[in-house]
Amino acid sequence: MSKNVVVIGTQWGDEGKGKIVDLLTEDVAAVVRFQGGHNAGHTLVIEGNKTVLHLIPSGILHENIHCLIGNGVVISLQALIKEAKKLIESGIPVFDRLKISSGCPLILPSHEALDLAKEKKLGKSAIGTTGRGIGPVYEDKVARRVLRVSDLLNKDSLCEKLKNILNYHNFLLTNYFDENEQSLDKIFNQLLDQRDLILPLISDVSGILDDYHQQKKNILFEGAQGVFLDIDHGTYPYVTSSNTVSAAASIGSGVGPKRLDYIMGIVKAYTTRVGSGPFPTELHDKYGEHLGSVGVEFGATTGRPRRCGWLDALALKRSVLNSSISGFCLTKLDVLDGLEKIKICTEYKLHDKTISNFPLEISELNNCEPLYEEFEGWEDSTKGLKRFADMPLNAKKYVQAIEEMLHLPIDIISTGPDREHTIIRSNPFS
Ligand code: GDP
Ligand code: IMO
Ligand code: MG
């Protein structure tokens, strides 16, 4: 029996999805990205060598694998080519492994300019975006004016469509945002240069995935960002502009939802968030400093320090609810080594009432006071452990407490950044 497994982040991103996707690629024929763009930063460490991927699926280091970019992903050709070239320099035959859906919207330099201009205008209320043009390109997709990968096929209509889009973008940039115009000629020539590398990669991703299914081969779906950055289900407006919940795997790849067999929710053993927006369990004390420094919590895309806090079981319950999580992978447990106490938020206090549902209204979230269950820490190191039996007793208790709170198994535990630093209790493909 073949299996389709979806990996998604259950918090605010950077849970360690890339590491786990690379690890699980061992068992699959194809890895597919289905939403987001190069706002993602997925880190893989193999025998000490670090690779950071933004657009290219995290299975790319494996031989005999197809890495697919589904229609739900927004593509900056400049970013894609830069990332591919870097991998090729280190010996990875990217263009033999990579295929791109003809339906992917293209991020243009003017989308990036609009992203930055919007943030500047928002001032103190800025979202804290990655500045990669993600919001503006998804806006254009919904408005039915975006260029798609398939538009590269016809130079004449490409020029015409680009002219119309740039007319609109330049009107906004100059009249509304008081910024400089973007050059049509420059962008058109860039697209023509990039086109030759991209045309051979254009494929029917949905069709390829169906072929693999017919051949009874496993497929892995790689989410970007995390559930609380979802445009519908996240902490709006402090979210990204795509759906990050598990259902996006279906829409963003062209595979029907009944074919998604197992949803693996990646949970960091504490919580982090980059950018603005509510974060009820955020810490500003020595514990927060420990998580940030020991966990090396700096954005893999923008290098910004990540905000750090305790694990939030209320938030995770909502992720389970809206993403049909089948089982968890708990990452960065080793970062908690040496703490005398560890907390998990189990309820919030809101206007003198105790609530046990994670509210999504910003005004409510901003007034929530987390109520915690406290756990004894452990002194021994868990770093690099490969067997659950070898873990300190209190670390085992912490893992079991999370399983009990969320009524789901933790199938994989990550104990360090390296592919090898992993405890597999149950393989989702078996
Ligand atoms: P992603 O966006 O979900 O793929 O996660 P990122 O790559 O942005 O951030 C996760 C960071 O934690 C990366 O630097 C990883 O190398 C690192 N990492 C992943 N798993 C572990 C772990 O179990 N322990 C430690 N210490 N680091 C980890
Ligand atoms: P991975 O896949 C963490 C955040 C940004 C900002 C908000 C909107 O590595 O987990 P955007 O540029 O998407 O319009 O920014 O979303 N954000 C992420 N935070 N990890 C990510 O990706 C993120 N991608 C976007 O910081 O708050
Ligand atoms: Mg990341």
Short mmCIF file of all heavy atoms in Angstrom, two decimals, residues 152-211:
data_model
loop_
_atom_site.label_atom_id
_atom_site.label_comp_id
_atom_site.label_asym_id
_atom_site.label_seq_id
_atom_site.Cartn_x
_atom_site.Cartn_y
_atom_site.Cartn_z
N LEU A 152 5.14 31.95 -19.54
CA LEU A 152 6.49 32.03 -20.10
C LEU A 152 6.54 31.39 -21.49
O LEU A 152 7.46 31.63 -22.26
CB LEU A 152 7.50 31.31 -19.18
CG LEU A 152 7.70 31.92 -17.78
CD1 LEU A 152 8.54 30.99 -16.93
CD2 LEU A 152 8.37 33.30 -17.88
N LEU A 153 5.54 30.57 -21.79
CA LEU A 153 5.55 29.81 -23.05
C LEU A 153 5.40 30.71 -24.28
O LEU A 153 5.92 30.40 -25.33
CB LEU A 153 4.44 28.74 -23.04
CG LEU A 153 4.64 27.62 -22.01
CD1 LEU A 153 3.36 26.81 -21.83
CD2 LEU A 153 5.79 26.71 -22.43
N ASN A 154 4.68 31.82 -24.13
CA ASN A 154 4.43 32.68 -25.28
C ASN A 154 4.96 34.10 -25.03
O ASN A 154 4.40 34.87 -24.25
CB ASN A 154 2.91 32.72 -25.54
CG ASN A 154 2.56 33.53 -26.75
OD1 ASN A 154 3.20 34.54 -27.05
ND2 ASN A 154 1.54 33.09 -27.47
N LYS A 155 6.06 34.44 -25.73
CA LYS A 155 6.75 35.71 -25.48
C LYS A 155 5.84 36.93 -25.72
O LYS A 155 5.89 37.89 -24.97
CB LYS A 155 7.94 35.84 -26.44
CG LYS A 155 9.19 35.18 -25.94
CD LYS A 155 10.34 35.60 -26.86
CE LYS A 155 11.42 34.53 -26.83
NZ LYS A 155 12.50 34.78 -27.79
N ASP A 156 5.05 36.87 -26.80
CA ASP A 156 4.24 38.05 -27.16
C ASP A 156 3.18 38.34 -26.11
O ASP A 156 3.04 39.47 -25.63
CB ASP A 156 3.57 37.84 -28.53
CG ASP A 156 4.62 37.77 -29.63
OD1 ASP A 156 5.72 38.33 -29.40
OD2 ASP A 156 4.36 37.13 -30.66
N SER A 157 2.43 37.29 -25.75
CA SER A 157 1.38 37.53 -24.75
C SER A 157 2.01 37.82 -23.39
O SER A 157 1.44 38.55 -22.58
CB SER A 157 0.40 36.36 -24.69
OG SER A 157 1.07 35.19 -24.34
N LEU A 158 3.20 37.25 -23.14
CA LEU A 158 3.90 37.54 -21.87
C LEU A 158 4.15 39.04 -21.75
O LEU A 158 3.88 39.66 -20.73
CB LEU A 158 5.24 36.77 -21.83
CG LEU A 158 6.14 37.04 -20.63
CD1 LEU A 158 5.53 36.46 -19.36
CD2 LEU A 158 7.54 36.43 -20.82
N CYS A 159 4.63 39.63 -22.85
CA CYS A 159 4.96 41.06 -22.85
C CYS A 159 3.70 41.90 -22.61
O CYS A 159 3.70 42.83 -21.80
CB CYS A 159 5.61 41.43 -24.17
SG CYS A 159 6.19 43.11 -24.20
N GLU A 160 2.63 41.51 -23.27
CA GLU A 160 1.37 42.23 -23.16
C GLU A 160 0.83 42.16 -21.72
O GLU A 160 0.43 43.18 -21.13
CB GLU A 160 0.38 41.58 -24.15
CG GLU A 160 -0.74 42.48 -24.63
CD GLU A 160 -0.31 43.87 -25.05
OE1 GLU A 160 0.72 44.01 -25.74
OE2 GLU A 160 -1.01 44.83 -24.65
N LYS A 161 0.83 40.96 -21.17
CA LYS A 161 0.30 40.79 -19.80
C LYS A 161 1.16 41.52 -18.78
O LYS A 161 0.66 42.14 -17.85
CB LYS A 161 0.24 39.29 -19.44
CG LYS A 161 -0.89 38.56 -20.13
CD LYS A 161 -0.95 37.11 -19.68
CE LYS A 161 -1.98 36.34 -20.50
NZ LYS A 161 -1.99 34.91 -20.19
N LEU A 162 2.48 41.44 -19.00
CA LEU A 162 3.39 42.11 -18.07
C LEU A 162 3.16 43.63 -18.10
O LEU A 162 3.18 44.30 -17.06
CB LEU A 162 4.85 41.79 -18.45
CG LEU A 162 5.91 42.40 -17.53
CD1 LEU A 162 5.81 41.81 -16.12
CD2 LEU A 162 7.31 42.17 -18.07
N LYS A 163 2.93 44.14 -19.31
CA LYS A 163 2.69 45.58 -19.46
C LYS A 163 1.47 46.00 -18.62
O LYS A 163 1.51 46.98 -17.88
CB LYS A 163 2.43 45.89 -20.95
CG LYS A 163 2.78 47.30 -21.33
CD LYS A 163 2.28 47.66 -22.70
CE LYS A 163 3.23 47.26 -23.81
NZ LYS A 163 2.67 47.51 -25.16
N ASN A 164 0.40 45.23 -18.71
CA ASN A 164 -0.82 45.55 -17.95
C ASN A 164 -0.59 45.49 -16.44
O ASN A 164 -1.04 46.36 -15.70
CB ASN A 164 -1.94 44.56 -18.31
CG ASN A 164 -2.47 44.85 -19.69
OD1 ASN A 164 -2.37 45.98 -20.17
ND2 ASN A 164 -3.00 43.84 -20.35
N ILE A 165 0.13 44.45 -16.01
CA ILE A 165 0.38 44.32 -14.56
C ILE A 165 1.24 45.47 -14.06
O ILE A 165 0.96 46.07 -13.02
CB ILE A 165 1.08 42.98 -14.24
CG1 ILE A 165 0.16 41.81 -14.56
CG2 ILE A 165 1.51 42.91 -12.78
CD1 ILE A 165 0.81 40.46 -14.39
N LEU A 166 2.27 45.78 -14.84
CA LEU A 166 3.17 46.85 -14.39
C LEU A 166 2.50 48.21 -14.41
O LEU A 166 2.79 49.06 -13.57
CB LEU A 166 4.46 46.85 -15.21
CG LEU A 166 5.51 45.88 -14.67
CD1 LEU A 166 6.80 46.04 -15.43
CD2 LEU A 166 5.77 46.07 -13.18
N ASN A 167 1.59 48.40 -15.35
CA ASN A 167 0.81 49.65 -15.34
C ASN A 167 0.12 49.81 -14.00
O ASN A 167 0.14 50.88 -13.39
CB ASN A 167 -0.29 49.58 -16.41
CG ASN A 167 0.17 50.24 -17.69
OD1 ASN A 167 1.12 51.02 -17.66
ND2 ASN A 167 -0.48 49.91 -18.79
N TYR A 168 -0.50 48.73 -13.58
CA TYR A 168 -1.23 48.75 -12.31
C TYR A 168 -0.27 48.92 -11.12
O TYR A 168 -0.48 49.78 -10.25
CB TYR A 168 -2.05 47.46 -12.19
CG TYR A 168 -2.78 47.32 -10.89
CD1 TYR A 168 -3.82 48.17 -10.55
CD2 TYR A 168 -2.41 46.33 -9.97
CE1 TYR A 168 -4.48 48.05 -9.34
CE2 TYR A 168 -3.07 46.20 -8.77
CZ TYR A 168 -4.10 47.05 -8.45
OH TYR A 168 -4.75 46.94 -7.25
N HIS A 169 0.79 48.11 -11.09
CA HIS A 169 1.75 48.20 -9.98
C HIS A 169 2.38 49.59 -9.90
O HIS A 169 2.53 50.16 -8.81
CB HIS A 169 2.85 47.15 -10.13
CG HIS A 169 2.39 45.75 -9.84
ND1 HIS A 169 3.20 44.65 -9.96
CD2 HIS A 169 1.20 45.27 -9.42
CE1 HIS A 169 2.53 43.56 -9.64
NE2 HIS A 169 1.31 43.90 -9.30
N ASN A 170 2.75 50.12 -11.06
CA ASN A 170 3.41 51.44 -11.05
C ASN A 170 2.45 52.55 -10.64
O ASN A 170 2.85 53.52 -10.00
CB ASN A 170 4.06 51.73 -12.41
CG ASN A 170 5.39 51.00 -12.54
OD1 ASN A 170 6.03 50.69 -11.54
ND2 ASN A 170 5.80 50.70 -13.76
N PHE A 171 1.19 52.39 -11.00
CA PHE A 171 0.19 53.36 -10.55
C PHE A 171 0.14 53.37 -9.01
O PHE A 171 0.18 54.42 -8.37
CB PHE A 171 -1.18 53.01 -11.15
CG PHE A 171 -2.26 53.97 -10.72
CD1 PHE A 171 -2.42 55.19 -11.38
CD2 PHE A 171 -3.10 53.69 -9.65
CE1 PHE A 171 -3.39 56.10 -10.97
CE2 PHE A 171 -4.07 54.58 -9.24
CZ PHE A 171 -4.22 55.79 -9.90
N LEU A 172 0.08 52.16 -8.45
CA LEU A 172 0.06 52.06 -6.97
C LEU A 172 1.35 52.60 -6.36
O LEU A 172 1.32 53.39 -5.40
CB LEU A 172 -0.10 50.60 -6.54
CG LEU A 172 -1.45 49.93 -6.71
CD1 LEU A 172 -1.36 48.48 -6.26
CD2 LEU A 172 -2.52 50.65 -5.88
N LEU A 173 2.47 52.16 -6.92
CA LEU A 173 3.76 52.54 -6.32
C LEU A 173 3.95 54.06 -6.33
O LEU A 173 4.36 54.64 -5.32
CB LEU A 173 4.92 51.88 -7.08
CG LEU A 173 5.16 50.39 -6.76
CD1 LEU A 173 6.13 49.76 -7.76
CD2 LEU A 173 5.69 50.22 -5.33
N THR A 174 3.63 54.71 -7.44
CA THR A 174 3.90 56.15 -7.53
C THR A 174 2.79 57.00 -6.91
O THR A 174 3.06 57.92 -6.15
CB THR A 174 4.11 56.58 -9.00
OG1 THR A 174 2.98 56.15 -9.76
CG2 THR A 174 5.36 55.99 -9.59
N ASN A 175 1.53 56.63 -7.20
CA ASN A 175 0.43 57.49 -6.74
C ASN A 175 0.00 57.23 -5.31
O ASN A 175 -0.39 58.15 -4.59
CB ASN A 175 -0.78 57.35 -7.65
CG ASN A 175 -0.52 57.93 -9.01
OD1 ASN A 175 -0.14 59.09 -9.12
ND2 ASN A 175 -0.67 57.12 -10.03
N TYR A 176 0.02 55.98 -4.92
CA TYR A 176 -0.48 55.67 -3.58
C TYR A 176 0.64 55.59 -2.54
O TYR A 176 0.51 56.08 -1.43
CB TYR A 176 -1.27 54.35 -3.61
CG TYR A 176 -1.98 54.05 -2.31
CD1 TYR A 176 -3.08 54.81 -1.92
CD2 TYR A 176 -1.52 53.03 -1.48
CE1 TYR A 176 -3.72 54.55 -0.71
CE2 TYR A 176 -2.16 52.78 -0.28
CZ TYR A 176 -3.25 53.53 0.11
OH TYR A 176 -3.88 53.29 1.30
N PHE A 177 1.77 54.96 -2.95
CA PHE A 177 2.85 54.75 -1.96
C PHE A 177 3.98 55.77 -2.07
O PHE A 177 4.91 55.74 -1.25
CB PHE A 177 3.42 53.34 -2.11
CG PHE A 177 2.46 52.25 -1.69
CD1 PHE A 177 1.89 51.39 -2.62
CD2 PHE A 177 2.12 52.10 -0.36
CE1 PHE A 177 1.01 50.39 -2.24
CE2 PHE A 177 1.23 51.09 0.05
CZ PHE A 177 0.67 50.25 -0.90
N ASP A 178 3.94 56.60 -3.11
CA ASP A 178 4.99 57.60 -3.27
C ASP A 178 6.38 56.96 -3.40
O ASP A 178 7.36 57.42 -2.80
CB ASP A 178 4.95 58.55 -2.05
CG ASP A 178 5.45 59.93 -2.43
OD1 ASP A 178 5.61 60.19 -3.63
OD2 ASP A 178 5.71 60.73 -1.51
N GLU A 179 6.44 55.88 -4.16
CA GLU A 179 7.71 55.18 -4.40
C GLU A 179 8.07 55.26 -5.88
O GLU A 179 7.26 55.71 -6.70
CB GLU A 179 7.59 53.69 -3.99
CG GLU A 179 7.27 53.45 -2.52
CD GLU A 179 8.44 53.69 -1.59
OE1 GLU A 179 9.59 53.72 -2.08
OE2 GLU A 179 8.21 53.87 -0.38
N ASN A 180 9.26 54.76 -6.22
CA ASN A 180 9.70 54.79 -7.62
C ASN A 180 8.99 53.75 -8.47
O ASN A 180 8.57 52.72 -7.97
CB ASN A 180 11.21 54.54 -7.71
CG ASN A 180 11.98 55.69 -7.07
OD1 ASN A 180 11.49 56.82 -7.05
ND2 ASN A 180 13.15 55.38 -6.55
N GLU A 181 8.97 54.03 -9.78
CA GLU A 181 8.40 53.08 -10.75
C GLU A 181 9.33 51.89 -10.95
O GLU A 181 10.53 51.99 -10.74
CB GLU A 181 8.28 53.77 -12.11
CG GLU A 181 7.01 54.51 -12.30
CD GLU A 181 6.74 54.77 -13.79
OE1 GLU A 181 7.56 54.38 -14.65
OE2 GLU A 181 5.71 55.36 -14.06
N GLN A 182 8.76 50.79 -11.41
CA GLN A 182 9.55 49.63 -11.81
C GLN A 182 9.63 49.61 -13.34
O GLN A 182 8.64 49.93 -14.01
CB GLN A 182 8.86 48.36 -11.32
CG GLN A 182 8.82 48.24 -9.80
CD GLN A 182 10.14 47.76 -9.23
OE1 GLN A 182 10.75 46.85 -9.75
NE2 GLN A 182 10.58 48.39 -8.15
N SER A 183 10.77 49.20 -13.88
CA SER A 183 10.97 49.27 -15.34
C SER A 183 10.44 48.03 -16.06
O SER A 183 10.86 46.89 -15.77
CB SER A 183 12.47 49.42 -15.62
OG SER A 183 12.80 48.90 -16.87
N LEU A 184 9.53 48.27 -17.00
CA LEU A 184 8.96 47.18 -17.81
C LEU A 184 10.05 46.46 -18.59
O LEU A 184 10.15 45.23 -18.57
CB LEU A 184 7.90 47.75 -18.76
CG LEU A 184 7.37 46.79 -19.81
CD1 LEU A 184 6.56 45.67 -19.17
CD2 LEU A 184 6.50 47.50 -20.84
N ASP A 185 10.91 47.23 -19.25
CA ASP A 185 11.96 46.62 -20.08
C ASP A 185 12.87 45.72 -19.27
O ASP A 185 13.19 44.60 -19.67
CB ASP A 185 12.83 47.71 -20.73
CG ASP A 185 12.10 48.35 -21.89
OD1 ASP A 185 11.04 47.81 -22.27
OD2 ASP A 185 12.57 49.39 -22.38
N LYS A 186 13.25 46.23 -18.11
CA LYS A 186 14.20 45.48 -17.28
C LYS A 186 13.56 44.15 -16.84
O LYS A 186 14.18 43.09 -16.94
CB LYS A 186 14.57 46.34 -16.06
CG LYS A 186 15.78 45.84 -15.33
CD LYS A 186 16.25 46.83 -14.28
CE LYS A 186 17.02 46.11 -13.21
NZ LYS A 186 17.15 46.88 -11.99
N ILE A 187 12.33 44.22 -16.39
CA ILE A 187 11.67 43.00 -15.88
C ILE A 187 11.40 42.03 -17.04
O ILE A 187 11.61 40.82 -16.91
CB ILE A 187 10.37 43.36 -15.12
CG1 ILE A 187 10.72 44.20 -13.88
CG2 ILE A 187 9.62 42.09 -14.70
CD1 ILE A 187 9.53 44.64 -13.06
N PHE A 188 10.99 42.57 -18.19
CA PHE A 188 10.71 41.69 -19.33
C PHE A 188 11.99 40.97 -19.77
O PHE A 188 12.00 39.75 -19.99
CB PHE A 188 10.11 42.49 -20.50
CG PHE A 188 9.71 41.63 -21.65
CD1 PHE A 188 8.81 40.58 -21.48
CD2 PHE A 188 10.22 41.86 -22.93
CE1 PHE A 188 8.43 39.76 -22.56
CE2 PHE A 188 9.85 41.06 -24.00
CZ PHE A 188 8.96 40.00 -23.81
N ASN A 189 13.10 41.71 -19.84
CA ASN A 189 14.37 41.09 -20.25
C ASN A 189 14.84 40.04 -19.24
O ASN A 189 15.36 39.00 -19.62
CB ASN A 189 15.44 42.15 -20.46
CG ASN A 189 15.17 42.92 -21.75
OD1 ASN A 189 14.64 42.34 -22.71
ND2 ASN A 189 15.46 44.21 -21.77
N GLN A 190 14.60 40.33 -17.97
CA GLN A 190 14.95 39.34 -16.92
C GLN A 190 14.17 38.06 -17.15
O GLN A 190 14.71 36.96 -17.12
CB GLN A 190 14.57 39.87 -15.55
CG GLN A 190 15.68 40.60 -14.81
CD GLN A 190 15.19 41.15 -13.47
OE1 GLN A 190 14.05 40.93 -13.06
NE2 GLN A 190 16.06 41.89 -12.80
N LEU A 191 12.87 38.21 -17.39
CA LEU A 191 12.01 37.03 -17.61
C LEU A 191 12.48 36.23 -18.83
O LEU A 191 12.50 35.00 -18.81
CB LEU A 191 10.54 37.44 -17.77
CG LEU A 191 9.81 37.89 -16.51
CD1 LEU A 191 8.42 38.40 -16.85
CD2 LEU A 191 9.70 36.75 -15.49
N LEU A 192 12.87 36.94 -19.87
CA LEU A 192 13.34 36.24 -21.09
C LEU A 192 14.61 35.45 -20.78
O LEU A 192 14.79 34.33 -21.26
CB LEU A 192 13.60 37.24 -22.22
CG LEU A 192 12.36 37.90 -22.83
CD1 LEU A 192 12.75 38.75 -24.03
CD2 LEU A 192 11.29 36.88 -23.23
N ASP A 193 15.49 36.04 -19.98
CA ASP A 193 16.74 35.33 -19.60
C ASP A 193 16.43 34.09 -18.77
O ASP A 193 17.06 33.05 -18.94
CB ASP A 193 17.64 36.26 -18.76
CG ASP A 193 18.32 37.31 -19.62
OD1 ASP A 193 18.30 37.15 -20.86
OD2 ASP A 193 18.84 38.29 -19.05
N GLN A 194 15.48 34.23 -17.85
CA GLN A 194 15.20 33.14 -16.91
C GLN A 194 14.42 32.00 -17.58
O GLN A 194 14.55 30.84 -17.19
CB GLN A 194 14.37 33.70 -15.74
CG GLN A 194 15.17 34.68 -14.88
CD GLN A 194 14.27 35.63 -14.10
OE1 GLN A 194 13.10 35.81 -14.43
NE2 GLN A 194 14.84 36.24 -13.07
N ARG A 195 13.67 32.38 -18.61
CA ARG A 195 12.76 31.46 -19.29
C ARG A 195 13.43 30.17 -19.76
O ARG A 195 12.90 29.07 -19.57
CB ARG A 195 12.24 32.28 -20.48
CG ARG A 195 11.12 31.77 -21.23
CD ARG A 195 10.73 32.86 -22.22
NE ARG A 195 9.80 32.30 -23.16
CZ ARG A 195 10.13 31.82 -24.35
NH1 ARG A 195 11.39 31.90 -24.76
NH2 ARG A 195 9.23 31.28 -25.12
N ASP A 196 14.62 30.27 -20.36
CA ASP A 196 15.27 29.09 -20.94
C ASP A 196 15.54 28.00 -19.90
O ASP A 196 15.45 26.81 -20.19
CB ASP A 196 16.58 29.48 -21.62
CG ASP A 196 16.31 30.39 -22.81
OD1 ASP A 196 15.16 30.37 -23.30
OD2 ASP A 196 17.22 31.13 -23.22
N LEU A 197 15.89 28.44 -18.70
CA LEU A 197 16.15 27.45 -17.64
C LEU A 197 14.86 26.83 -17.12
O LEU A 197 14.84 25.68 -16.69
CB LEU A 197 16.86 28.14 -16.45
CG LEU A 197 18.37 28.25 -16.50
CD1 LEU A 197 18.87 29.05 -15.30
CD2 LEU A 197 19.02 26.86 -16.49
N ILE A 198 13.79 27.61 -17.16
CA ILE A 198 12.55 27.19 -16.52
C ILE A 198 11.66 26.35 -17.44
O ILE A 198 11.02 25.39 -16.98
CB ILE A 198 11.76 28.44 -16.02
CG1 ILE A 198 12.62 29.25 -15.03
CG2 ILE A 198 10.43 28.06 -15.38
CD1 ILE A 198 13.12 28.50 -13.81
N LEU A 199 11.63 26.67 -18.73
CA LEU A 199 10.71 25.96 -19.64
C LEU A 199 10.79 24.43 -19.54
O LEU A 199 9.76 23.76 -19.47
CB LEU A 199 10.91 26.41 -21.10
CG LEU A 199 10.46 27.84 -21.44
CD1 LEU A 199 10.61 28.11 -22.94
CD2 LEU A 199 9.02 28.10 -21.00
N PRO A 200 12.01 23.84 -19.50
CA PRO A 200 12.06 22.37 -19.43
C PRO A 200 11.51 21.78 -18.13
O PRO A 200 11.28 20.58 -18.06
CB PRO A 200 13.57 22.07 -19.53
CG PRO A 200 14.23 23.32 -19.97
CD PRO A 200 13.34 24.46 -19.58
N LEU A 201 11.32 22.64 -17.13
CA LEU A 201 10.86 22.12 -15.83
C LEU A 201 9.33 22.10 -15.72
O LEU A 201 8.76 21.51 -14.80
CB LEU A 201 11.41 22.97 -14.67
CG LEU A 201 12.92 23.24 -14.65
CD1 LEU A 201 13.29 24.08 -13.44
CD2 LEU A 201 13.69 21.92 -14.61
N ILE A 202 8.66 22.78 -16.64
CA ILE A 202 7.20 22.93 -16.53
C ILE A 202 6.52 21.58 -16.74
O ILE A 202 6.78 20.88 -17.71
CB ILE A 202 6.66 23.95 -17.57
CG1 ILE A 202 7.37 25.30 -17.36
CG2 ILE A 202 5.15 24.10 -17.44
CD1 ILE A 202 6.93 26.38 -18.34
N SER A 203 5.66 21.21 -15.78
CA SER A 203 5.04 19.88 -15.81
C SER A 203 3.63 19.93 -15.27
O SER A 203 3.24 20.89 -14.59
CB SER A 203 5.83 18.92 -14.93
OG SER A 203 7.17 18.88 -15.30
N ASP A 204 2.92 18.82 -15.51
CA ASP A 204 1.59 18.65 -14.92
C ASP A 204 1.80 17.93 -13.58
O ASP A 204 1.84 16.71 -13.50
CB ASP A 204 0.74 17.81 -15.88
CG ASP A 204 -0.58 17.41 -15.28
OD1 ASP A 204 -0.90 17.86 -14.16
OD2 ASP A 204 -1.30 16.63 -15.93
N VAL A 205 1.97 18.72 -12.53
CA VAL A 205 2.31 18.16 -11.21
C VAL A 205 1.22 17.21 -10.72
O VAL A 205 1.49 16.11 -10.22
CB VAL A 205 2.58 19.29 -10.20
CG1 VAL A 205 2.61 18.78 -8.77
CG2 VAL A 205 3.90 19.98 -10.54
N SER A 206 -0.01 17.62 -10.89
CA SER A 206 -1.13 16.79 -10.46
C SER A 206 -1.09 15.43 -11.18
O SER A 206 -1.31 14.37 -10.58
CB SER A 206 -2.40 17.58 -10.74
OG SER A 206 -3.50 16.78 -10.72
N GLY A 207 -0.77 15.47 -12.48
CA GLY A 207 -0.68 14.24 -13.27
C GLY A 207 0.46 13.34 -12.81
O GLY A 207 0.30 12.12 -12.69
N ILE A 208 1.62 13.94 -12.53
CA ILE A 208 2.78 13.15 -12.05
C ILE A 208 2.42 12.47 -10.74
O ILE A 208 2.71 11.29 -10.52
CB ILE A 208 4.02 14.06 -11.83
CG1 ILE A 208 4.51 14.66 -13.15
CG2 ILE A 208 5.15 13.28 -11.15
CD1 ILE A 208 5.69 15.61 -13.01
N LEU A 209 1.74 13.22 -9.86
CA LEU A 209 1.39 12.64 -8.56
C LEU A 209 0.38 11.50 -8.72
O LEU A 209 0.46 10.49 -8.01
CB LEU A 209 0.83 13.74 -7.64
CG LEU A 209 1.86 14.80 -7.21
CD1 LEU A 209 1.21 15.92 -6.43
CD2 LEU A 209 2.99 14.17 -6.40
N ASP A 210 -0.51 11.65 -9.67
CA ASP A 210 -1.47 10.57 -9.92
C ASP A 210 -0.75 9.33 -10.45
O ASP A 210 -1.05 8.20 -10.04
CB ASP A 210 -2.55 11.04 -10.88
CG ASP A 210 -3.65 10.00 -11.01
OD1 ASP A 210 -4.15 9.55 -9.95
OD2 ASP A 210 -3.98 9.60 -12.14
N ASP A 211 0.22 9.54 -11.35
CA ASP A 211 1.00 8.40 -11.87
C ASP A 211 1.67 7.65 -10.73
O ASP A 211 1.63 6.43 -10.66
CB ASP A 211 2.08 8.87 -12.86
CG ASP A 211 1.47 9.32 -14.18
OD1 ASP A 211 0.28 9.02 -14.42
OD2 ASP A 211 2.19 9.99 -14.95
#
